Amino acid sequence: EAGVAQSPRYKIIEKRQSVAFWCNPISGHATLYWYQQILGQGPKLLIQFQNNGVVDDSQLPKDRFSAERLKGVDSTLKIQPAKLEDSAVYLCASSQQQGYGYTFGSGTRLTVV
Amino acid sequence: GESVGLHLPTLSVQEGDNSIINCAYSNSASDYFIWYKQESGKGPQFIIDIRSNMDKRQGQRVTVLLNKTVKHLSLQIAATQPGDSAVYFCAEMGAGNMLTFGGGTRLMVKP
């Protein structure tokens, strides 16, 4: 079974620029999550999708972050404009059904300078 | 707010010894717990899980213990190997089916 695919692996941008991350979950996994992991900390949930609908985005800074999951498969997470404190690893995860553990991708490491 | 925390940020053990990583959780309504292993440059990798109707679950070289009375979770790794060196996170799931992670413990295995 192929894992969760994320791209790019690394991204360096200047503050106030925009950036987008892409995630392709495991085939058949209806639930998709985006997490932010700041260096030295545990992952923090940003948004949860069930198919193409948002289940929870209460932790997403909506003034600058947006996410979508068109057609209920791939998802993109966008930051515009980026701030220095957005430097982190952005992890995508998926699960076959709610109430079970997630499978994580390798993440995108974002550095904002 | 709800949180999951760890007692020890870094644990150093000798190769071949057993490792115990502890975790305290604060949400008594959480009913599902998972231990993840994260190596440098990689995403968290599922190790073992346990539901709140159990107090112990064993896998290959790993055991998870759950003490709901004191809201404590532990991961035991038998015969620790250099490949076990990583950061370990406990995570809890309650209402909404979302995992909340703690801050992690770094396990270092000395040869």
Side-chain angles (χ1 to χ4, degrees), chain A residues 57-78:
Chain A
D57 63 356
S58 60
Q59 300 301 310
L60 190 72
K62 299 181 190 61
D63 58 333
R64 298 184 300 106
F65 287 64
S66 64
E68 60 183 10
R69 191 185 183 195
L70 301 176
K71 302 180 182 178
V73 182
D74 293 4
S75 177
T76 56
L77 176 69
K78 298 178 182 178

PDB file of all heavy atoms in Angstrom, chain A residues 57-78:
ATOM      1  N   ASP A  57     -11.896  23.012  11.776  1.00  0.00           N
ATOM      2  CA  ASP A  57     -10.811  23.930  11.400  1.00  0.00           C
ATOM      3  C   ASP A  57     -10.642  24.991  12.470  1.00  0.00           C
ATOM      4  O   ASP A  57     -10.185  26.109  12.192  1.00  0.00           O
ATOM      5  CB  ASP A  57     -11.048  24.552  10.024  1.00  0.00           C
ATOM      6  CG  ASP A  57     -12.304  25.427   9.978  1.00  0.00           C
ATOM      7  OD1 ASP A  57     -13.020  25.487  10.998  1.00  0.00           O
ATOM      8  OD2 ASP A  57     -12.571  26.031   8.925  1.00  0.00           O
ATOM      9  N   SER A  58     -11.000  24.652  13.694  1.00  0.00           N
ATOM     10  CA  SER A  58     -10.964  25.621  14.779  1.00  0.00           C
ATOM     11  C   SER A  58      -9.553  26.098  15.113  1.00  0.00           C
ATOM     12  O   SER A  58      -9.374  27.170  15.682  1.00  0.00           O
ATOM     13  CB  SER A  58     -11.627  25.030  16.027  1.00  0.00           C
ATOM     14  OG  SER A  58     -10.952  23.850  16.440  1.00  0.00           O
ATOM     15  N   GLN A  59      -8.536  25.308  14.796  1.00  0.00           N
ATOM     16  CA  GLN A  59      -7.155  25.678  15.094  1.00  0.00           C
ATOM     17  C   GLN A  59      -6.432  26.278  13.891  1.00  0.00           C
ATOM     18  O   GLN A  59      -5.236  26.565  13.968  1.00  0.00           O
ATOM     19  CB  GLN A  59      -6.382  24.447  15.585  1.00  0.00           C
ATOM     20  CG  GLN A  59      -6.949  23.821  16.846  1.00  0.00           C
ATOM     21  CD  GLN A  59      -6.970  24.803  18.001  1.00  0.00           C
ATOM     22  OE1 GLN A  59      -5.973  25.451  18.300  1.00  0.00           O
ATOM     23  NE2 GLN A  59      -8.113  24.933  18.651  1.00  0.00           N
ATOM     24  N   LEU A  60      -7.125  26.461  12.799  1.00  0.00           N
ATOM     25  CA  LEU A  60      -6.518  27.017  11.590  1.00  0.00           C
ATOM     26  C   LEU A  60      -6.559  28.538  11.631  1.00  0.00           C
ATOM     27  O   LEU A  60      -7.643  29.125  11.765  1.00  0.00           O
ATOM     28  CB  LEU A  60      -7.276  26.521  10.355  1.00  0.00           C
ATOM     29  CG  LEU A  60      -6.649  26.799   8.988  1.00  0.00           C
ATOM     30  CD1 LEU A  60      -5.425  25.915   8.784  1.00  0.00           C
ATOM     31  CD2 LEU A  60      -7.676  26.565   7.879  1.00  0.00           C
ATOM     32  N   PRO A  61      -5.415  29.203  11.535  1.00  0.00           N
ATOM     33  CA  PRO A  61      -5.408  30.690  11.505  1.00  0.00           C
ATOM     34  C   PRO A  61      -5.967  31.175  10.167  1.00  0.00           C
ATOM     35  O   PRO A  61      -5.237  31.390   9.202  1.00  0.00           O
ATOM     36  CB  PRO A  61      -3.919  31.027  11.664  1.00  0.00           C
ATOM     37  CG  PRO A  61      -3.248  29.780  12.118  1.00  0.00           C
ATOM     38  CD  PRO A  61      -4.052  28.655  11.541  1.00  0.00           C
ATOM     39  N   LYS A  62      -7.246  31.395  10.144  1.00  0.00           N
ATOM     40  CA  LYS A  62      -7.935  31.601   8.871  1.00  0.00           C
ATOM     41  C   LYS A  62      -7.614  32.940   8.197  1.00  0.00           C
ATOM     42  O   LYS A  62      -7.944  33.131   7.027  1.00  0.00           O
ATOM     43  CB  LYS A  62      -9.444  31.467   9.079  1.00  0.00           C
ATOM     44  CG  LYS A  62      -9.857  30.096   9.592  1.00  0.00           C
ATOM     45  CD  LYS A  62     -11.356  29.995   9.770  1.00  0.00           C
ATOM     46  CE  LYS A  62     -11.749  28.720  10.499  1.00  0.00           C
ATOM     47  NZ  LYS A  62     -11.182  28.642  11.863  1.00  0.00           N
ATOM     48  N   ASP A  63      -6.954  33.840   8.944  1.00  0.00           N
ATOM     49  CA  ASP A  63      -6.585  35.097   8.299  1.00  0.00           C
ATOM     50  C   ASP A  63      -5.453  34.903   7.300  1.00  0.00           C
ATOM     51  O   ASP A  63      -5.258  35.722   6.394  1.00  0.00           O
ATOM     52  CB  ASP A  63      -6.187  36.137   9.354  1.00  0.00           C
ATOM     53  CG  ASP A  63      -5.037  35.672  10.218  1.00  0.00           C
ATOM     54  OD1 ASP A  63      -4.869  34.434  10.385  1.00  0.00           O
ATOM     55  OD2 ASP A  63      -4.291  36.529  10.731  1.00  0.00           O
ATOM     56  N   ARG A  64      -4.725  33.779   7.439  1.00  0.00           N
ATOM     57  CA  ARG A  64      -3.597  33.566   6.533  1.00  0.00           C
ATOM     58  C   ARG A  64      -3.525  32.147   5.976  1.00  0.00           C
ATOM     59  O   ARG A  64      -2.864  31.910   4.968  1.00  0.00           O
ATOM     60  CB  ARG A  64      -2.281  33.881   7.246  1.00  0.00           C
ATOM     61  CG  ARG A  64      -2.177  35.327   7.700  1.00  0.00           C
ATOM     62  CD  ARG A  64      -0.823  35.634   8.319  1.00  0.00           C
ATOM     63  NE  ARG A  64      -0.567  34.803   9.499  1.00  0.00           N
ATOM     64  CZ  ARG A  64       0.274  33.796   9.516  1.00  0.00           C
ATOM     65  NH1 ARG A  64       0.950  33.481   8.427  1.00  0.00           N
ATOM     66  NH2 ARG A  64       0.464  33.110  10.627  1.00  0.00           N
ATOM     67  N   PHE A  65      -4.146  31.218   6.641  1.00  0.00           N
ATOM     68  CA  PHE A  65      -4.116  29.813   6.216  1.00  0.00           C
ATOM     69  C   PHE A  65      -5.447  29.443   5.559  1.00  0.00           C
ATOM     70  O   PHE A  65      -6.515  29.858   6.014  1.00  0.00           O
ATOM     71  CB  PHE A  65      -3.894  28.880   7.413  1.00  0.00           C
ATOM     72  CG  PHE A  65      -2.504  28.881   7.975  1.00  0.00           C
ATOM     73  CD1 PHE A  65      -1.955  30.013   8.547  1.00  0.00           C
ATOM     74  CD2 PHE A  65      -1.742  27.721   7.957  1.00  0.00           C
ATOM     75  CE1 PHE A  65      -0.669  29.997   9.095  1.00  0.00           C
ATOM     76  CE2 PHE A  65      -0.467  27.686   8.500  1.00  0.00           C
ATOM     77  CZ  PHE A  65       0.069  28.826   9.066  1.00  0.00           C
ATOM     78  N   SER A  66      -5.343  28.634   4.517  1.00  0.00           N
ATOM     79  CA  SER A  66      -6.542  28.064   3.902  1.00  0.00           C
ATOM     80  C   SER A  66      -6.225  26.655   3.437  1.00  0.00           C
ATOM     81  O   SER A  66      -5.070  26.313   3.165  1.00  0.00           O
ATOM     82  CB  SER A  66      -7.018  28.923   2.721  1.00  0.00           C
ATOM     83  OG  SER A  66      -6.046  28.925   1.690  1.00  0.00           O
ATOM     84  N   ALA A  67      -7.235  25.829   3.373  1.00  0.00           N
ATOM     85  CA  ALA A  67      -7.045  24.451   2.929  1.00  0.00           C
ATOM     86  C   ALA A  67      -8.281  24.007   2.173  1.00  0.00           C
ATOM     87  O   ALA A  67      -9.393  24.466   2.453  1.00  0.00           O
ATOM     88  CB  ALA A  67      -6.781  23.527   4.115  1.00  0.00           C
ATOM     89  N   GLU A  68      -8.051  23.130   1.224  1.00  0.00           N
ATOM     90  CA  GLU A  68      -9.177  22.579   0.490  1.00  0.00           C
ATOM     91  C   GLU A  68      -8.892  21.131   0.120  1.00  0.00           C
ATOM     92  O   GLU A  68      -7.735  20.708   0.063  1.00  0.00           O
ATOM     93  CB  GLU A  68      -9.477  23.399  -0.762  1.00  0.00           C
ATOM     94  CG  GLU A  68      -8.338  23.478  -1.758  1.00  0.00           C
ATOM     95  CD  GLU A  68      -8.699  24.366  -2.946  1.00  0.00           C
ATOM     96  OE1 GLU A  68      -9.729  25.054  -2.912  1.00  0.00           O
ATOM     97  OE2 GLU A  68      -7.920  24.338  -3.927  1.00  0.00           O
ATOM     98  N   ARG A  69      -9.967  20.416  -0.108  1.00  0.00           N
ATOM     99  CA  ARG A  69      -9.846  19.016  -0.511  1.00  0.00           C
ATOM    100  C   ARG A  69     -10.925  18.766  -1.566  1.00  0.00           C
ATOM    101  O   ARG A  69     -11.957  18.179  -1.290  1.00  0.00           O
ATOM    102  CB  ARG A  69     -10.018  18.076   0.675  1.00  0.00           C
ATOM    103  CG  ARG A  69      -9.628  16.645   0.340  1.00  0.00           C
ATOM    104  CD  ARG A  69      -9.908  15.688   1.479  1.00  0.00           C
ATOM    105  NE  ARG A  69      -9.460  14.343   1.138  1.00  0.00           N
ATOM    106  CZ  ARG A  69      -9.810  13.243   1.794  1.00  0.00           C
ATOM    107  NH1 ARG A  69     -10.641  13.333   2.835  1.00  0.00           N
ATOM    108  NH2 ARG A  69      -9.356  12.064   1.424  1.00  0.00           N
ATOM    109  N   LEU A  70     -10.641  19.252  -2.734  1.00  0.00           N
ATOM    110  CA  LEU A  70     -11.580  19.094  -3.834  1.00  0.00           C
ATOM    111  C   LEU A  70     -11.678  17.623  -4.225  1.00  0.00           C
ATOM    112  O   LEU A  70     -10.677  16.904  -4.207  1.00  0.00           O
ATOM    113  CB  LEU A  70     -11.133  19.940  -5.025  1.00  0.00           C
ATOM    114  CG  LEU A  70     -11.020  21.451  -4.751  1.00  0.00           C
ATOM    115  CD1 LEU A  70     -10.487  22.173  -5.964  1.00  0.00           C
ATOM    116  CD2 LEU A  70     -12.379  22.003  -4.329  1.00  0.00           C
ATOM    117  N   LYS A  71     -12.859  17.162  -4.543  1.00  0.00           N
ATOM    118  CA  LYS A  71     -13.114  15.797  -4.990  1.00  0.00           C
ATOM    119  C   LYS A  71     -12.809  14.756  -3.918  1.00  0.00           C
ATOM    120  O   LYS A  71     -12.773  13.555  -4.206  1.00  0.00           O
ATOM    121  CB  LYS A  71     -12.318  15.480  -6.270  1.00  0.00           C
ATOM    122  CG  LYS A  71     -12.630  16.417  -7.421  1.00  0.00           C
ATOM    123  CD  LYS A  71     -11.825  16.061  -8.661  1.00  0.00           C
ATOM    124  CE  LYS A  71     -12.123  17.045  -9.793  1.00  0.00           C
ATOM    125  NZ  LYS A  71     -11.313  16.748 -11.008  1.00  0.00           N
ATOM    126  N   GLY A  72     -12.542  15.206  -2.699  1.00  0.00           N
ATOM    127  CA  GLY A  72     -12.373  14.262  -1.603  1.00  0.00           C
ATOM    128  C   GLY A  72     -11.132  13.401  -1.648  1.00  0.00           C
ATOM    129  O   GLY A  72     -11.076  12.376  -0.975  1.00  0.00           O
ATOM    130  N   VAL A  73     -10.124  13.802  -2.423  1.00  0.00           N
ATOM    131  CA  VAL A  73      -8.889  13.002  -2.483  1.00  0.00           C
ATOM    132  C   VAL A  73      -7.708  13.882  -2.066  1.00  0.00           C
ATOM    133  O   VAL A  73      -7.428  14.019  -0.891  1.00  0.00           O
ATOM    134  CB  VAL A  73      -8.687  12.398  -3.882  1.00  0.00           C
ATOM    135  CG1 VAL A  73      -7.421  11.541  -3.911  1.00  0.00           C
ATOM    136  CG2 VAL A  73      -9.892  11.560  -4.282  1.00  0.00           C
ATOM    137  N   ASP A  74      -7.051  14.499  -3.053  1.00  0.00           N
ATOM    138  CA  ASP A  74      -5.895  15.351  -2.756  1.00  0.00           C
ATOM    139  C   ASP A  74      -6.323  16.579  -1.965  1.00  0.00           C
ATOM    140  O   ASP A  74      -7.475  17.025  -2.036  1.00  0.00           O
ATOM    141  CB  ASP A  74      -5.233  15.814  -4.058  1.00  0.00           C
ATOM    142  CG  ASP A  74      -4.600  14.672  -4.822  1.00  0.00           C
ATOM    143  OD1 ASP A  74      -4.744  13.514  -4.373  1.00  0.00           O
ATOM    144  OD2 ASP A  74      -3.977  14.937  -5.858  1.00  0.00           O
ATOM    145  N   SER A  75      -5.344  17.130  -1.253  1.00  0.00           N
ATOM    146  CA  SER A  75      -5.608  18.346  -0.489  1.00  0.00           C
ATOM    147  C   SER A  75      -4.446  19.312  -0.633  1.00  0.00           C
ATOM    148  O   SER A  75      -3.301  18.901  -0.840  1.00  0.00           O
ATOM    149  CB  SER A  75      -5.806  18.008   0.993  1.00  0.00           C
ATOM    150  OG  SER A  75      -6.003  19.170   1.767  1.00  0.00           O
ATOM    151  N   THR A  76      -4.744  20.598  -0.554  1.00  0.00           N
ATOM    152  CA  THR A  76      -3.703  21.616  -0.529  1.00  0.00           C
ATOM    153  C   THR A  76      -3.892  22.503   0.682  1.00  0.00           C
ATOM    154  O   THR A  76      -5.025  22.794   1.097  1.00  0.00           O
ATOM    155  CB  THR A  76      -3.716  22.486  -1.797  1.00  0.00           C
ATOM    156  OG1 THR A  76      -5.018  23.064  -1.941  1.00  0.00           O
ATOM    157  CG2 THR A  76      -3.383  21.678  -3.028  1.00  0.00           C
ATOM    158  N   LEU A  77      -2.787  22.918   1.253  1.00  0.00           N
ATOM    159  CA  LEU A  77      -2.755  23.852   2.370  1.00  0.00           C
ATOM    160  C   LEU A  77      -1.975  25.068   1.904  1.00  0.00           C
ATOM    161  O   LEU A  77      -0.875  24.929   1.377  1.00  0.00           O
ATOM    162  CB  LEU A  77      -2.082  23.218   3.591  1.00  0.00           C
ATOM    163  CG  LEU A  77      -1.887  24.112   4.816  1.00  0.00           C
ATOM    164  CD1 LEU A  77      -3.236  24.437   5.463  1.00  0.00           C
ATOM    165  CD2 LEU A  77      -0.971  23.440   5.835  1.00  0.00           C
ATOM    166  N   LYS A  78      -2.535  26.247   2.079  1.00  0.00           N
ATOM    167  CA  LYS A  78      -1.891  27.466   1.619  1.00  0.00           C
ATOM    168  C   LYS A  78      -1.685  28.435   2.771  1.00  0.00           C
ATOM    169  O   LYS A  78      -2.517  28.519   3.683  1.00  0.00           O
ATOM    170  CB  LYS A  78      -2.727  28.137   0.529  1.00  0.00           C
ATOM    171  CG  LYS A  78      -2.904  27.304  -0.724  1.00  0.00           C
ATOM    172  CD  LYS A  78      -3.778  28.014  -1.752  1.00  0.00           C
ATOM    173  CE  LYS A  78      -3.981  27.139  -2.992  1.00  0.00           C
ATOM    174  NZ  LYS A  78      -4.866  27.785  -3.990  1.00  0.00           N
TER     175      LYS A  78
END
